[in-house]
Amino acid sequence: MANIEARQVIHRWLSCTTESDTIEALDRVREAGLKILFSFKNTKPKSIIEKEAHLLFSMTILKCDSLFHLAKGHVLKNSLDEKTAPYIYDPFSIMTIVRSQFEAFCAFHSIFVYTKSLDEQKLFHSLWVIAGLKYRQQFQ
């Protein structure tokens, strides 16, 4: 019985039709990510690759937290005359954060999930580092 109920809830989160379902689904993803993140807070990375894996995962979760707060919308208030605007949403900030989050997630997945061996992981990590260095050299 619990399996059926869990599947129904997951299906509702994956096929959100209401704003409250969307925010609830995002909150569950955020909470799960924070639980994973906090479970590693007392561990010391064994290598630079492992440290960067933690950083990429942290970035993804922190961006998820930002999206969670932006998705709720907010009221703008002018402190000079105390006038307020109705709930507004900032889609431009949301799009920027989602893109950045997607890039961090893809890098994490490509280096730390997709790879089948430690040598392959080192190769993918090195390519990622070199690509980042080459990109930053464009701005000198």
Side-chain angles (χ1 to χ4, degrees), residues 11-102:
H11 178 71
R12 182 171 50 92
W13 290 340
L14 291 175
S15 58
C16 298
T17 56
T18 66
E19 184 179 328
S20 61
D21 282 353
T22 303
I23 290 174
E24 182 183 355
L26 183 58
D27 187 37
R28 295 298 179 246
V29 170
R30 182 181 69 97
E31 289 292 328
L34 287 172
K35 183 167 180 65
I36 293 168
L37 189 64
F38 294 160
S39 70
F40 287 98
K41 72 179 181 181
N42 294 323
T43 59
K44 190 148 177 102
K46 298 176 185 121
S47 67
I48 188 70
I49 293 175
E50 196 174 293
K51 182 178 181 180
E52 288 181 357
H54 188 268
L55 288 173
L56 281 171
F57 186 76
S58 298
M59 285 172 51
T60 302
I61 298 307
L62 290 171
K63 288 174 173 118
C64 186
D65 188 61
S66 296
L67 289 171
F68 176 71
H69 293 292
L70 284 171
K72 291 180 177 180
H74 62 280
V75 174
L76 286 180
K77 183 176 181 180
N78 184 338
S79 64
L80 298 175
D81 60 7
E82 298 299 320
K83 289 188 179 178
T84 61
Y87 266 86
I88 63 162
Y89 300 90
D90 183 5
F92 302 107
S93 294
I94 290 172
M95 288 185 298
T96 303
I97 293 170
V98 167
R99 179 175 180 252
S100 177
Q101 182 185 39
F102 186 70

